[in-house]
Amino acid sequence: MAERLVLAMYAYGTNTGIKSVAGGTDRHTEDDIRYVRRRYLNTEAARRIAIEIANATFATRKPSIWGESSTAIASDSTHFGAYDQNIFTEHHSRYGRRGVLIYWSVERNGSVVIHSQLLNCSASEVHAMVDGAMHHGTEMDVESSYVDTHGQSEIGFGVTRLLGFDLLPRIKRINKCRLYRPAAGEPDLWPGLKPAVTGPIRWELIAEQYDQMMKYATAIRTHTASTEAILRRFMKANAAHPTYQAMIELGRVQKTIFLCRYLRSRELQREINSGLNVVESWNGANQVIYYGKTSEIASNRRDEQEMSVLCLRICQAALVYVNVLMIQDILSDSEWDGVLTAEDERGLTPLFWSHVLPYGEVKLNMNTRLNLGDL
């Protein structure tokens, strides 16, 4: 059964399909693999497997090579094509083609994925960013999240402040952003910033709605209500709701603080750019692993789509785990002592795939193991 489970996850994770991996030297028929997939491999089990691989990677990493465990994640979406017959397929204005979005949350230092989520093209990425930081299920403690322009907003800054982690975005057209004054009646206090400064913060509204804002934040933290449902409730019909307006004001405070930090700190700019490069590399690996059917999702069933996403996550998490062990095994030799410079250590990453052969016959042998001491 273990072999059939592995073959089923490989079939979904590479998008080749169960029929392509059935038979061969393993002699597992298509019906056998499909039965095990239906009976034992659901989305919750696949998510648990991905979390266990991430936790195993965190546990086996050596701080002397990879540094101390990071508390920062990089979050971004990637577009996957989908067949026109798929009822969830939508045209994406940014990518200019039809499909769905997969939102990844990847740990910065070791390129370990801690969360994935399937989104429609018209969905907001803010709630996916919050869910990735709060409900990833791994042992990682997230304190900051790097996002691109589409993963941030004023309400996003407010919610993340209430939840206790920093939102660090790379904002497109940052020269159009406005700074909010801390108090009213001081329009000429900063003459050099006058073109960029706008109205004052309404602190009284934040103080008045503080308890209600904390109730919504607690509901998100405890998973009593989904972030998407809360944000949609406000944005659809209750945009004038006082609690929503207070969250906006809090978001304006946090965004103003962030903009001041970002514009004066070159180190912070490099940190955000470096973090987002990690998730861009992760998206590059998707194209290598998820190669079947021209990387397009064929099923119009939501559970099948989620299974493909989770199995792709499992394949990439396993790739990173094995690469970590391989690099540590090589660098454990005494001949590597003092060889790597600081620049070499910064460029060291477990997310590489030049040694992977995704095409060809699938030969599964559960009786052999890699010659790695920690495995």
Side-chain angles (χ1 to χ4, degrees):
M1 188 180 71
E3 292 182 355
R4 294 170 185 174
L5 281 172
V6 171
L7 289 171
M9 288 186 289
Y10 179 87
Y12 277 92
T14 59
N15 204 33
T16 53
I18 292 178
K19 185 176 181 180
S20 299
V21 302
T25 57
D26 303 307
R27 298 183 179 179
H28 295 293
T29 66
E30 181 181 355
D31 291 338
D32 292 338
I33 300 175
R34 291 192 183 278
Y35 171 78
V36 170
R37 181 265 179 268
R38 289 194 305 268
R39 182 68 177 82
Y40 300 103
L41 186 62
N42 53 29
T43 54
E44 186 56 37
R47 187 175 292 107
R48 191 70 246 171
I49 292 171
I51 291 173
E52 291 296 330
I53 296 175
N55 289 335
T57 306
F58 294 143
T60 197
R61 285 192 316 199
K62 295 180 179 180
S64 58
I65 297 176
W66 308 103
E68 296 298 329
S69 297
S70 174
T71 58
I73 60 173
S75 304
D76 195 14
S77 63
T78 181
H79 186 271
F80 278 73
Y83 289 177
D84 284 331
Q85 294 84 357
N86 192 327
I87 60 175
F88 293 102
T89 297
E90 294 179 349
H91 185 271
H92 200 288
S93 58
R94 190 165 82 247
Y95 292 94
R97 53 193 176 97
R98 51 176 171 68
V100 296
L101 293 178
I102 302 177
Y103 200 82
W104 303 105
S105 297
V106 185
E107 190 244 357
R108 178 194 173 190
N109 280 6
S111 302
V112 179
V113 62
I114 65 170
H115 191 263
S116 61
Q117 190 172 352
L118 183 67
L119 303 176
N120 293 333
C121 292
S122 57
S124 169
E125 296 184 10
V126 176
H127 79 269
M129 174 273 300
V130 174
D131 287 340
M134 298 302 302
H135 306 303
H136 50 85
T138 70
E139 297 176 355
M140 183 180 178
D141 184 19
V142 177
E143 295 182 0
S144 56
S145 176
Y146 309 111
V147 298
D148 225 328
T149 302
H150 309 284
Q152 61 84 33
S153 65
E154 289 182 347
I155 187 67
F157 274 102
V159 170
T160 55
R161 177 61 178 170
L162 292 170
L163 293 173
F165 69 94
D166 289 332
L167 178 61
L168 303 176
R170 181 174 59 189
I171 303 178
K172 189 177 182 180
R173 299 180 65 192
I174 195 171
N175 60 312
K176 301 296 182 181
C177 294
R178 290 292 178 263
L179 305 176
Y180 287 84
R181 301 199 311 272
E186 301 174 343
D188 300 322
L189 188 59
W190 300 279
L193 293 175
K194 191 171 183 179
V197 173
T198 182
I201 297 295
R202 294 182 291 173
W203 298 103
E204 68 284 353
L205 182 58
I206 297 175
E208 178 185 337
Q209 297 295 323
Y210 180 78
D211 290 342
Q212 290 298 322
M213 289 193 296
M214 291 306 300
K215 287 182 180 179
Y216 283 111
T218 303
I220 294 174
R221 184 187 300 276
T222 59
H223 228 175
T224 306
S226 68
T227 312
E228 182 182 14
I230 291 176
L231 296 183
R232 189 190 301 117
R233 174 188 177 186
F234 284 138
M235 294 178 181
K236 286 286 185 180
N238 297 317
H241 195 286
T243 305
Y244 179 74
Q245 293 297 320
M247 284 187 178
I248 290 289
E249 290 297 315
L250 181 60
R252 289 170 176 170
V253 174
Q254 193 65 18
K255 186 174 182 178
T256 300
I257 294 173
F258 166 76
L259 289 173
C260 294
R261 289 176 56 201
Y262 184 86
L263 293 174
R264 74 187 296 268
S265 174
R266 192 63 176 168
E267 183 180 350
L268 179 60
Q269 296 174 23
R270 293 193 182 101
E271 178 186 342
I272 294 173
N273 191 65
S274 174
L276 291 176
N277 285 341
V278 171
V279 75
E280 292 298 339
S281 297
W282 183 269
N283 291 334
N286 290 332
Q287 302 174 3
V288 176
I289 297 176
Y290 200 77
Y291 65 89
K293 301 180 181 67
T294 64
S295 301
E296 289 196 344
I297 298 176
S299 176
N300 61 357
R301 293 174 51 187
R302 195 67 169 182
D303 59 333
E304 289 288 307
Q305 295 178 1
E306 291 181 356
M307 182 60 66
S308 295
V309 173
L310 289 169
C311 288
L312 171 59
R313 173 179 163 186
I314 290 172
C315 289
Q316 288 195 232
L319 172 67
V320 170
Y321 176 61
V322 173
N323 286 348
V324 166
L325 295 176
M326 290 172 58
I327 292 175
Q328 292 182 170
D329 188 60
I330 292 172
L331 296 182
S332 63
D333 294 341
S334 58
E335 63 184 39
W336 284 95
D337 292 345
V339 173
L340 296 181
T341 64
E343 290 76 12
D344 295 330
E345 292 177 352
R346 283 201 302 268
L348 196 62
T349 174
L351 187 57
F352 58 91
W353 51 88
S354 57
H355 59 306
V356 173
L357 183 64
Y359 313 104
E361 186 178 0
V362 179
K363 296 181 180 180
L364 181 63
N365 189 346
M366 302 287 284
N367 297 319
T368 60
R369 302 176 71 84
L370 295 175
N371 187 22
L372 297 173
D374 295 333
L375 184 61

